[in-house]
Amino acid sequence: EEKLVRVADNALFMLDGSSSMNSKYGDTGQTQWQLVRQYLTERNAHFPAIGHKFGIYLYTPWKEVYPFADYDRAAVAKALESLPAEGKGSTPLWTGMKELEQVLKTVTGHTAVFLFTDGTYTGGPTQRPIEVAERIVDDYDVCFYVISIAKKYENEMLLEKVGALNA
């Protein structure tokens, strides 16, 4: 007998759909962005419907793919089909974190935030995503899960800091 235990009330997915995600990943023959899309589609087919609230957002630029609502496998599948075929544009991670904060103001319960990124981001030195992430963890019942494909040391370190903000 399989017994599922819900460890979070909400799941929010933040996706980096920027042009830097068009790089080939290893020897897969696919881009990083294609793999993110494939992974989400495959996971959605098996994600348990046990009362989660769900939201999927591109942060490059910010766009609701599946606005925060009750999880509905068919509706999420349809929303995932609307994702662009390839990455495009810059990577305003700081702005994405600020937009995430606006969504979290409407959320109750424990929220798992899944951040899919290669760690690159645009913005000046005063726009450090880690500072917004720290505030989010302090102000909301949030845990970050970072799905990183970072290649540069400084990007890896940023994502490691975000992932280490809470247990």
Side-chain angles (χ1 to χ4, degrees):
E1 177 180 318
E2 182 177 56
K3 181 177 180 180
L4 301 174
V5 177
R6 190 171 70 180
V7 295
D9 302 300
N10 314 301
L12 292 176
F13 293 79
M14 288 182 60
L15 312 178
D16 178 353
S18 68
S19 59
S20 66
M21 294 291 284
N22 291 329
S23 299
K24 295 287 184 191
Y25 184 76
D27 61 359
T28 64
Q30 293 183 291
T31 67
Q32 297 167 150
W33 179 242
Q34 289 169 327
L35 290 171
V36 167
R37 291 182 68 215
Q38 177 183 332
Y39 175 80
L40 290 170
T41 300
E42 289 172 358
R43 293 300 301 157
N44 182 55
H46 303 289
F47 194 83
I50 55 176
H52 286 94
K53 298 271 187 189
F54 218 74
I56 303 172
Y57 303 88
L58 278 173
Y59 66 88
T60 52
W62 187 262
K63 177 186 173 193
E64 292 182 334
V65 176
Y66 183 83
F68 186 70
D70 291 331
Y71 173 70
D72 176 320
R73 180 175 289 123
V76 169
K78 184 174 175 97
L80 291 172
E81 290 174 5
S82 76
L83 289 171
E86 61 182 29
K88 150 175 134 174
S90 62
T91 315
L93 181 54
W94 182 84
T95 304
M97 288 289 192
K98 298 287 290 175
E99 292 289 345
L100 170 66
E101 194 170 18
Q102 295 306 308
V103 174
L104 290 171
K105 288 179 180 180
T106 69
V107 172
T108 59
H110 181 62
T111 303
V113 175
F114 297 88
L115 174 62
F116 287 77
T117 180
D118 63 2
T120 61
Y121 67 95
T122 52
T126 61
Q127 297 181 333
R128 296 188 44 212
I130 188 65
E131 293 167 358
V132 182
E134 288 170 341
R135 187 174 63 248
I136 287 171
V137 168
D138 288 343
D139 293 349
Y140 303 94
D141 186 6
V142 168
C143 185
F144 279 98
Y145 294 88
V146 179
I147 298 80
S148 168
I149 43 181
K151 295 176 185 165
K152 294 181 180 176
Y153 177 78
E154 60 271 15
N155 298 342
E156 289 175 0
M157 292 301 96
L158 166 68
L159 297 176
E160 192 171 298
K161 286 179 185 177
V162 171
L165 288 174
N166 43 23

